[in-house]
Amino acid sequence: MIKVGDKLPAVTLTEFVEVEGNGCSIGPNPVDVAKAAAGKTIAIFALPGAFTPTCSAKHVPGYVEHHDALKAAGVNEIWCVSVNDAFVMGAWARDQKTGTKVRMLGDGSADFTKATGLTLDLTARGMGLRSNRYSMLVKDGAVSVLNVEGPGKFEVSDAATLLAQAKG
């Protein structure tokens, strides 16, 4: 499992872009994790799936709500990562009204999730291999804080906890 001090895995996530610009075309665009994280402080949170109850009611809304405070604490970007495709993540972004506050990044084949070792097997519940629920603070591509939830929990990966750690 990834730990504090480790670099993020060199994989590609996908992001659905609604408006063409800044070199991004409309639709799914690749996000090279290493390049996108270079020289930045990023708050990353991951969760089992788009449109799932805790993820939609608490996890994403908390990061949208705390966006300005996280920026004030030195966070350049907030990323939400889920084992879903870019189209689903784009639809969920519209539903959650994340706008430019949270980058909703799809890990469709679970490459990022597997490389971090933060997988969650939900095969018995019909959802296959997913991401565990966690948050991390990443500075210049290296993990500086990591909060991994226990099974079925939502206690340490919330925005308020990561904000307090970013300030500290």
Side-chain angles (χ1 to χ4, degrees), residues 47-60:
L47 33 78
F51 295 103
T52 56
T54 301
C55 305
S56 291
K58 297 178 182 175
H59 217 168
V60 173

Side-chain angles (χ1 to χ4, degrees), residues 47-119:
L47 33 78
F51 295 103
T52 56
T54 301
C55 305
S56 291
K58 297 178 182 175
H59 217 168
V60 173
Y63 281 90
V64 171
E65 177 186 333
H66 286 83
H67 170 268
D68 293 343
L70 283 160
K71 292 287 254 187
V75 171
N76 300 107
E77 294 182 4
I78 303 169
W79 296 1
C80 173
V81 177
S82 183
V83 180
N84 291 105
D85 63 63
F87 296 101
V88 169
M89 294 301 281
W92 197 31
R94 284 189 300 280
D95 178 74
Q96 292 287 303
K97 298 175 179 50
T98 59
T100 59
K101 293 181 177 184
V102 178
R103 293 184 75 178
M104 304 295 275
L105 301 175
D107 186 21
S109 298
D111 293 337
F112 182 84
T113 300
K114 288 185 249 182
T116 62
L118 291 165
T119 59

